[in-house]
Amino acid sequence: MNHNLISYVPNLKVFDCTLRDGGLVNDSFFTDDFARALYQANLKAGVDYMEFGYKCSKQIFDSDRFGKWKFCDEEDIRAIVGDNHTDLKLSVMADVGRCDYQNDIIPKTDSVIDTIRIATYVNAIPTCIDMIEDAKNKGYETTANIMAVSKVNGDDLKNSLELLGQSDVDVIYLVDSFGSFYPEQIRRLTDQYMEICTKYGKKMGVHAHNNQQLAFANTLEAMNKGDGATYLDATVSGLGRGAGNCHLEMLLSFLRNPKYKTIPVLKFIEKYILPLREQGLVWGYDVPYLLTGQLNAHPSFAIKFIKEGRQDYYNFFHELIDDTL
């Protein structure tokens, strides 16, 4: 079906990752009041999915050093949503190697969570597939999010996508981990992902980062006028590690589906996001993130540069070149 920019695509799913990706900025120390207000804003805005955080193992991560949304215990989520008798689906992310998925992910019949999103690198695809099967057997929807694709050679990506296509996963995500892709690259990758998704009856998602101020543009490019990604990740005000993500309020304003409302998100920004900035939380586009994006480097280099109060961009640029050679 052919769509243009002023038509709406009815099968799109907007996925709010504010608590999860934003948790990388403040070690997941969001208050219950913040989480509850975000949940209510998503409900009123017509958002389709809300990700609460990670399912990390407390054997691997010190629960004193991180907030509750690093672990997403069932009772903590229920304290916010009750039994969630709404159309808004809930998700958590499980990173390969960072969670005890056999034990920490309980059967869907006992959980208010709907979707387990599994983040993996290409060298861990077999474990990712085992996690997919485990979650599916427990009754969940699943996604596979291949990270750092910009560092993966073509054959490895092709083989990884083929393996995921053959698995029971529901959605395969294109993730621009370093914010290094341009729209034309996203277009080519979307075609590659969609070839597998179409072959095996999967859906495609996109998760973009804003290092080069292209997260919104790349998300729209992956949509491909309705013939590409249908699961679209975003965060309120782009809240996320480093340069952050595609802005939820921007995406909702663009999508022409009458089910989506921007005003509830704007009210949430006014009451809850502005105070985070006033408290000193830092995220969003800045020159150091531009440089890591351009040079396909991990944003942790830029985060360290900013925390140290440095402004010697020229030296930083050459440090990055030396590191990426």
Side-chain angles (χ1 to χ4, degrees):
M1 182 177 179
N2 189 33
H3 300 274
N4 59 42
L5 287 180
I6 61 167
S7 64
Y8 79 86
V9 185
N11 60 335
L12 293 180
K13 305 293 184 186
V14 173
F15 216 112
D16 169 50
C17 313
T18 306
L19 273 187
R20 201 271 307 166
D21 224 319
L24 296 169
V25 181
N26 69 348
D27 293 327
S28 301
F29 281 111
F30 290 110
T31 64
D32 280 12
D33 184 40
F34 184 98
R36 193 170 292 111
L38 180 60
Y39 172 70
Q40 292 297 331
N42 279 324
L43 280 175
K44 292 172 185 173
V47 168
D48 300 284
Y49 286 81
M50 176 176 171
E51 191 163 54
F52 267 78
Y54 287 96
K55 263 290 184 189
C56 288
S57 168
K58 293 179 183 177
Q59 306 303 314
I60 300 173
F61 293 90
D62 184 350
S63 57
D64 292 332
R65 289 191 57 240
F66 295 94
K68 63 178 70 174
W69 308 119
K70 187 76 169 178
F71 310 100
C72 286
D73 292 336
E74 185 70 22
E75 59 269 23
D76 290 332
I77 296 179
R78 286 183 181 271
I80 305 300
V81 306
D83 292 329
N84 188 37
H85 294 306
T86 75
D87 292 333
L88 176 63
K89 291 189 174 183
L90 310 179
S91 85
V92 294
M93 180 166 277
D95 279 5
V96 171
R98 296 180 180 178
C99 63
D100 179 7
Y101 58 96
Q102 290 100 336
N103 298 310
D104 288 345
I105 297 175
I106 62 176
K108 170 69 187 100
T109 51
D110 301 323
S111 178
V112 75
I113 296 165
D114 300 285
T115 305
I116 306 295
R117 303 218 297 172
I118 298 153
T120 183
Y121 293 102
V122 290
N123 63 352
I125 292 292
T127 305
C128 172
I129 290 173
D130 193 59
M131 293 173 68
I132 290 165
E133 306 309 321
D134 180 78
K136 291 295 286 187
N137 288 337
K138 290 172 179 173
Y140 293 97
E141 296 178 354
T142 58
T143 83
N145 299 36
I146 309 175
M147 297 183 289
V149 174
S150 57
K151 295 279 191 182
V152 177
N153 75 50
D155 285 342
D156 285 346
L157 180 58
K158 181 179 178 181
N159 293 334
S160 298
L161 290 173
E162 183 69 31
L163 287 169
L164 288 174
Q166 294 171 16
S167 78
D168 284 337
V169 77
D170 297 295
V171 187
I172 301 175
Y173 260 87
L174 168 56
V175 182
D176 183 9
S177 296
F178 301 157
S180 63
F181 287 134
Y182 296 101
E184 64 183 55
Q185 294 170 293
I186 291 290
R187 192 178 312 132
R188 288 198 298 269
L189 284 164
T190 296
D191 290 343
Q192 185 177 359
Y193 276 63
M194 282 303 297
E195 184 179 345
I196 292 294
C197 290
T198 301
K199 179 179 177 182
Y200 292 104
K202 311 298 184 186
K203 298 182 179 71
M204 180 185 166
V206 60
H207 183 92
H209 287 116
N210 208 33
N211 296 63
Q212 302 187 83
Q213 303 218 63
L214 289 170
F216 178 56
N218 284 341
T219 299
L220 300 191
E221 196 66 52
M223 280 172 54
N224 199 25
K225 297 182 180 177
D227 296 320
T230 51
Y231 281 65
L232 312 178
D233 283 14
T235 64
V236 177
S237 285
L239 178 58
R241 181 171 63 184
N245 302 76
C246 177
H247 289 227
L248 180 65
E249 61 275 16
M250 193 178 284
L251 186 62
L252 292 176
S253 297
F254 170 81
L255 297 173
R256 299 320 200 263
N257 190 331
K259 70 173 281 193
Y260 296 127
K261 309 284 191 295
T262 310
I263 296 298
V265 179
L266 297 180
K267 289 181 177 177
F268 178 83
I269 293 170
E270 186 179 323
K271 188 170 181 183
Y272 291 93
I273 297 295
L274 295 182
L276 291 184
R277 292 196 183 276
E278 289 166 6
Q279 292 161 20
L281 229 57
V282 177
W283 75 92
Y285 169 81
D286 201 348
V287 171
Y289 298 122
L290 165 67
L291 298 178
T292 57
Q294 285 182 335
L295 295 171
N296 197 18
H298 197 285
S300 58
F301 293 107
I303 293 170
K304 182 173 182 287
F305 178 92
I306 292 169
K307 279 186 176 176
E308 291 173 352
R310 290 176 58 185
Q311 295 180 327
D312 53 328
Y313 300 137
Y314 175 79
N315 289 333
F316 182 57
F317 178 72
H318 283 283
E319 289 166 16
L320 288 173
I321 289 177
D322 290 342
D323 190 80
T324 53
L325 284 177

